[in-house]
Amino acid sequence: MIKVAKFGGSSVANAKQFKKVRKIIREDASRKVVVVSACGKEAGDDHKITDLLYLCEAHIRYGVSWEEIFSMIENRYRSIKEDLNLNVDLETEFAKIRSLMKPDTPTDYLVSRGEYLTALCMAEYLGFEFADAADVIAYQYDGEIDMVRTQQLLQEKCQDGKGIVVPGFYGALPNGVIKVMSRGGSDITGAVLANVMDADVYENWTDVSGFFVADPRIIHNPMQIPRINYSELREMSYMGANILHDDAVFPVREKNIPINVRNTNDPENHGTMILCDCSELDEKDPPHPITGITGRKDFTVITLVKSHTSGEVGYLRKLLAIFEEFHISIESVPVTVDTFSVIVSTESIDRCVYEIAARIRTELKPDDLRVEDHVALVAIVGRGMKEVPGMSGQLLSEFGRNKINIKVISQTSDELCIVVGVMNRDFDKAIKCVYDRFIATEKRKNA
Ligand code: ASP
């Protein structure tokens, strides 16, 4: 049994958090590969180390002194070293980074130092081997990770059976130059290592106990989701529930490796299990029809009415081609006989909405054209909704009972997700009413 355990920034923010990590690692000998982010925020008002490094880099670029910011970084690591009685030679590491604080040093090198330093400290504290991500995560020149090479490199590092600590967020190109992932990328490092190690589980330790049925900022104390499949997770994350980096799913999905999202501050909680296929467990313990309720605000709906288009081939294509020309990604396209709505994020269309409207008018000659902002999309996601008759009916009547006007509705035939468009001002209310009607009442029944 082998587990890859990734600890996010808040899990390694200070010595107190390091102690929690060691306790977790010592409780399970199969946690052999540990990935760490750079130290995150200790309290609400301080900073993530990676943010400070990006700030140093900007100061170098503009020729402004970066010394004060870098001292803040050094002091965070010095206090971890002191509090945990470590021997790691941080001063030499700091001197090396300082000597490279120059305009011609690549940004990726500088901003990756948070993970590097955190992993150095963590390796000593756990009594594990430090494996620099530059020696383990192999990038190709096209920016893709070379999984075969990464596997070889990792196997060499793991030969003596001792645990290893790998810094997240970066790897190296074939010429040794460091390349970072997108922000939050340590999740990807963990997933890649889980793939090449053929891990049994990829544990992602963070500061929440996995996924909740709804956003805790909207629903007080919402129910936790015990298990979810990859497709539901994609829907949930795309529509706003962001715990895991989007790209962290692909490397583990490829090998059917479950992801377990856990809370470093509440290790007794089993968190959320993300599985390729939940059906076996669902048979013993049927899931709730609704896995999660999520959504996003600030969409724009462009609606055009044109009579007698139903027989006209290519009308919709011409409409969508205009959006493509402006590089606007489309969220949804609800269509009725003579009416077409195109839903896009307001942010993406703000800069060119008048030009698009003008093009539609001249090229498609609609009888009517309307542009509406401030629309929110509420997504009700659940593998258990499949073939439950009346599900959308019950949902819609709940909106009606709560006097929430529905602007658009869409559901694909896999029945995994029902998306309802409401006005921004009704967004919280919409989520609350679905939660109260379908989740909270059941929670009360079972209590
Ligand atoms: N430290 C990086 C960031 O803040 C990567 C990570 O934490 O996953 O984006």
Side-chain angles (χ1 to χ4, degrees):
M1 173 83 136
I2 190 144
K3 290 181 181 168
V4 171
K6 180 257 163 176
F7 292 88
S10 58
S11 303
V12 293
N14 52 28
K16 192 171 152 215
Q17 295 302 88
F18 267 59
K19 287 181 186 162
K20 293 181 190 169
V21 171
R22 186 161 79 174
K23 194 160 178 281
I24 291 165
I25 296 298
R26 292 206 166 154
E27 259 160 22
D28 185 342
S30 58
R31 293 183 177 127
K32 279 259 182 294
V33 177
V34 175
V35 175
V36 287
S37 283
C39 308
K41 287 185 184 190
E42 276 191 270
D45 55 353
D46 74 346
H47 306 280
K48 289 171 79 170
I49 295 290
T50 312
D51 291 339
L52 294 177
L53 287 165
Y54 273 106
L55 211 52
C56 281
E57 193 274 334
H59 279 64
I60 299 169
R61 212 163 359 106
Y62 289 108
V64 185
S65 169
W66 44 266
E67 291 281 342
E68 208 176 307
I69 305 164
F70 194 66
S71 302
M72 287 164 74
I73 298 174
E74 289 174 323
N75 289 337
R76 286 280 295 277
Y77 286 103
R78 283 193 189 109
S79 75
I80 289 175
K81 172 177 165 164
E82 215 169 282
D83 293 350
L84 301 175
N85 278 322
L86 303 177
N87 294 315
V88 53
D89 183 3
L90 288 178
E91 299 310 317
T92 306
E93 298 293 344
F94 294 153
K96 181 169 177 215
I97 302 169
R98 276 176 173 276
S99 74
L100 289 165
M101 289 284 194
K102 293 182 189 140
D104 52 1
T105 302
T107 307
D108 285 22
Y109 168 80
L110 292 178
V111 301
S112 67
R113 295 305 87 190
E115 270 72 13
Y116 174 84
L117 293 167
T118 310
L120 271 182
C121 296
M122 186 60 84
E124 183 190 337
Y125 187 55
L126 297 179
F128 279 17
E129 209 71 64
F130 168 74
D132 191 351
D135 302 330
V136 173
I137 301 286
Y139 269 104
Q140 296 164 178
Y141 284 118
D142 63 3
E144 294 289 312
I145 294 175
D146 181 341
M147 299 297 270
V148 176
R149 181 91 189 104
T150 299
Q151 184 168 35
Q152 281 166 356
L153 293 168
L154 194 68
Q155 270 163 2
E156 283 163 24
K157 293 275 172 206
C158 292
Q159 251 161 16
D160 59 3
K162 201 172 166 189
I164 59 167
V165 179
V166 184
F169 186 43
Y170 70 98
L173 292 162
N175 60 3
V177 168
I178 283 184
K179 175 170 167 49
V180 294
M181 298 161 184
S182 53
R183 295 298 307 266
S186 301
D187 284 346
I188 304 172
T189 309
V192 166
L193 296 185
N195 173 309
V196 299
M197 293 292 291
D198 283 316
D200 296 277
V201 182
Y202 169 32
E203 291 183 337
N204 195 289
W205 292 83
T206 175
D207 54 1
V208 283
S209 300
F211 285 82
F212 294 100
V213 172
D215 188 338
R217 286 167 300 188
I218 299 174
I219 304 291
H220 174 67
N221 203 7
M223 250 168 74
Q224 206 178 306
I225 302 176
R227 61 180 181 276
I228 179 170
N229 69 29
Y230 285 141
S231 313
E232 290 173 303
L233 176 76
R234 287 286 296 160
E235 298 281 357
M236 295 277 294
S237 325
Y238 181 69
M239 287 305 286
N242 291 322
I243 296 187
L244 207 61
H245 193 295
D246 275 354
D247 296 339
V249 170
F250 300 110
V252 278
R253 184 178 193 159
E254 204 181 282
K255 286 207 174 157
N256 233 333
I257 299 169
I259 310 176
N260 189 192
V261 180
R262 302 281 294 262
N263 188 349
T264 305
N265 306 317
D266 182 14
E268 302 305 316
N269 192 310
H270 291 225
T272 298
M273 211 47 159
I274 305 162
L275 301 156
C276 201
D277 178 8
C278 297
S279 51
E280 213 176 290
L281 292 167
D282 286 353
E283 255 172 50
K284 286 179 224 136
D285 173 24
H288 191 283
I290 295 176
T291 304
I293 312 156
T294 178
R296 278 194 281 145
K297 285 186 183 174
D298 296 326
F299 288 93
T300 296
V301 185
I302 295 117
T303 304
L304 57 151
V305 182
K306 169 112 174 147
S307 320
H308 312 300
T309 48
S310 48
E312 191 181 324
V313 176
Y315 193 79
L316 186 59
R317 182 188 52 73
K318 285 181 211 150
L319 172 63
L320 299 185
I322 298 176
F323 287 85
E324 189 182 348
E325 254 181 66
F326 285 84
H327 296 283
I328 309 277
S329 142
I330 292 166
E331 209 65 36
S332 176
V333 192
V335 172
T336 57
V337 184
D338 289 333
T339 310
F340 305 81
S341 286
V342 179
I343 306 178
V344 298
S345 86
T346 306
E347 199 191 356
S348 70
I349 202 174
D350 240 4
R351 62 185 160 87
C352 52
V353 63
Y354 298 114
E355 282 158 277
I356 290 187
R359 289 278 303 274
I360 294 175
R361 274 213 182 88
T362 46
E363 288 173 33
L364 297 167
K365 303 193 174 39
D367 305 334
D368 187 19
L369 178 67
R370 285 190 300 271
V371 179
E372 269 175 293
D373 287 333
H374 311 298
V375 171
L377 297 181
V378 177
I380 296 102
V381 180
R383 63 187 181 282
M385 294 196 298
K386 200 172 167 62
E387 283 154 26
V388 178
M391 200 56 214
S392 28
Q394 288 176 51
L395 264 170
L396 301 186
S397 67
E398 203 51 32
F399 280 93
R401 237 174 37 84
N402 284 279
K403 302 204 168 23
I404 299 170
N405 183 40
I406 297 175
K407 304 254 13 137
V408 283
I409 308 161
S410 88
Q411 185 203 287
T412 44
S413 67
D414 59 9
E415 300 175 58
L416 188 70
C417 184
I418 300 173
V419 177
V420 182
V422 299
M423 294 313 288
N424 274 348
R425 60 171 180 275
D426 288 330
F427 181 70
D428 287 13
K429 194 173 161 196
I431 291 185
K432 275 191 194 122
C433 83
V434 180
Y435 188 90
D436 283 348
R437 163 70 178 78
F438 293 94
I439 311 287
T441 41
E442 218 143 291
K443 206 169 149 186
R444 280 195 290 273
K445 255 194 269 158
N446 296 337

